[in-house]
Structure formats: structure tokens, C-alpha cells
């Protein structure tokens, strides 16, 4: 399937499937190319007021969520990085954001309604992070296809293989506007958890 690649800090329309990467880098360089939207970096911020009546998040782990986590950890452990574990709070943040994108028919990191970024949405759940990142995508029907898309894009790949992350939240919402499937990965490490050993290798992505 045709995909449109755009340079960092340039935003153009893309063919489906579409995706975007957003990260607060630790010791790695920010992506030069992404699938859907301009790369952005961010710092941890204070919690902002939650929107009125946010949708309830299901803390359960679906088979698709587990499949994505398994594929992420195959990539990480093959390179000597720690395997990521699920965080229910990151799952909640990912699900809320994915529902909003599905309703709008667009992928984005900054919510057009309340202006929140990834770090703020993670903070709303009560999660206190030392570092965080986000991958989003639309139009990929399976865990295998969305992971192939993310791993084929330097920006998304770097989030997946960031040695500083230890936890992940994953969400899939189907029946969205424009694209049938919308995906989100939220990555983070708790503020009180030491950074794991390991360094990013630019040859990986």
C-alpha cells in the first residue's frame, strides 16, 4: 500500500495507513521522518484539568493489545533492551486518545479540542513519568500490520526501541471515521524507577 513520508516539521496529507510519532527523547536523536505528521518533542508537564465527562477506559487487555506488546518485546529483547510491561494508566491514556482520534477521523498528538499533549494526557491518569512517548496510526487492520508500519518508520521505530522506556499502554478502536482502525502506543517510565541499562543504536532504525 502506498504511504506518504514527510520530512520533520513538514505536515502534508498522507495515504492510508497513516501514523505519527511523538517522543520526549532521552539519549536519542529525534526522528527526521515520520509517516503522517511532523515530529514533535516535549517535556513532562503538570496535570491539566480533564475534559468534561471523558469516556471510561477498559483496563482489560485484549488479544490485539497483547499481540502488539509481544511484537514490541520481540524487537526490544532481540537488541538487549528490557521488555516493556503494561501499565493500566498508560492503557487508559491510550484508549481515551484513540477514541477521540477515531471520532474525528484523524491521527494527532495535540488534542484539537482541549490542546492537551501526550504528557498531559498521561498525567491525567495519575501516572508520574520521567520520560514518555507516543505512536499513533490508522488504517492498519492487525497488530502485525501496524507494527510493520511503525517499525518501517524511523520515528516510530525509535520510540519502540527507546532504552529509557519500561512501560507501555496500547489501544485499538475500530469503526472510526475515515479509517476503520485507530491505534495508539503510549510509552513511559515511572519517575521513581531507575533508567535501565542500554543505549540506542542508530543502525536499528
Amino acid at each position: 500500500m502506498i504511504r506518504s513520508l514527510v520530512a520533520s516539521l513538514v505536515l502534508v496529507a498522507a495515504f492510508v495507513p497513516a501514523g505519527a510519532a511523538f517522543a520526549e527523547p532521552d539519549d536519542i536523536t529525534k526522528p527526521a521522518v515520520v509517516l503522517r505528521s511532523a515530529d514533535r518533542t516535549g517535556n513532562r508537564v503538570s496535570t491539566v484539568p480533564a475534559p468534561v465527562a471523558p469516556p471510561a477506559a477498559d483496563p482489560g487487555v485484549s488479544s490485539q493489545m497483547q499481540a502488539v506488546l509481544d511484537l514490541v518485546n520481540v524487537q526490544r529483547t532481540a537488541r538487549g533492551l528490557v521488555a516493556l510491561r503494561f501499565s493500566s494508566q498508560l492503557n487508559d491514556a491510550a484508549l481515551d486518545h484513540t477514541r477521540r482520534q477515531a471520532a474525528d477521523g484523524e491521527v494527532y498528538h495535540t488534542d484539537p479540542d482541549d490542546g492537551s499533549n501526550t504528557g498531559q494526557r498521561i498525567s491525567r491518569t495519575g501516572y508520574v513519568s520521567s520520560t514518555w512517548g507516543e505512536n499513533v496510526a490508522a488504517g492498519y487492520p492487525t497488530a502485525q500490520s501496524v507494527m510493520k508500519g511503525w517499525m518501517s518508520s524511523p520515528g516510530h521505530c525509535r520510540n519502540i526501541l527507546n532504552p529509557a522506556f519500561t512501560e507501555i499502554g496500547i489501544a485499538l478502536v475500530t469503526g472510526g471515521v475515515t479509517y476503520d482502525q485507530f491505534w495508539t502506543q503510549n510509552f513511559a517510565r515511572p519517575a521513581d524507577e531507575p533508567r535501565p541499562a542500554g543505549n540506542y543504536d542508530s543502525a536499528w532504525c
Side-chain angles (χ1 to χ4, degrees):
M1 181 174 290
I2 297 173
R3 296 182 178 86
S4 175
L5 295 180
V6 295
S8 179
L9 304 183
V10 177
L11 177 61
V12 298
F15 295 101
V16 296
F22 184 17
E24 175 188 302
D26 187 87
D27 59 348
I28 60 175
T29 58
K30 67 179 183 178
V33 178
V34 298
L35 288 178
R36 177 63 175 87
S37 69
D39 174 66
R40 306 174 183 87
T41 59
N43 296 312
R44 191 181 65 176
V45 295
S46 300
T47 301
V48 297
V52 175
D58 181 357
V61 175
S62 71
S63 60
Q64 289 280 45
M65 291 165 63
Q66 186 64 54
V68 170
L69 177 62
D70 292 344
L71 291 167
V72 165
N73 285 334
V74 164
Q75 296 291 338
R76 291 179 63 89
T77 57
R79 294 164 174 84
L81 304 177
V82 298
L84 300 184
R85 60 186 182 270
F86 272 123
S87 159
S88 61
Q89 291 169 310
L90 294 179
N91 283 341
D92 288 353
L95 180 58
D96 181 54
H97 188 52
T98 310
R99 284 173 170 166
R100 291 178 181 273
Q101 293 175 100
D104 291 342
E106 295 287 343
V107 291
Y108 47 73
H109 298 297
T110 300
D111 191 298
D113 293 327
D114 64 12
S116 63
N117 64 25
T118 307
Q120 291 168 324
R121 291 189 295 271
I122 290 172
S123 293
R124 284 174 183 163
T125 70
Y127 191 105
V128 181
S129 66
S130 58
T131 186
W132 50 260
E134 179 176 83
N135 286 347
V136 301
Y140 292 90
T142 65
Q144 291 76 15
S145 63
V146 75
M147 276 296 296
K148 183 177 179 180
W150 278 329
M151 288 301 297
S152 297
S153 165
H156 304 81
C157 175
R158 287 170 186 163
N159 275 348
I160 291 168
L161 300 180
N162 188 328
F165 296 142
T166 58
E167 297 190 326
I168 192 172
I170 299 168
L172 165 65
V173 171
T174 59
V177 177
T178 309
Y179 313 110
D180 188 47
Q181 303 90 7
F182 283 78
W183 300 83
T184 301
Q185 290 177 319
N186 283 160
F187 305 91
R189 185 178 82 252
D192 60 354
E193 183 175 332
R195 186 193 185 285
N199 294 302
Y200 176 78
D201 186 335
S202 60
W204 293 344
C205 297

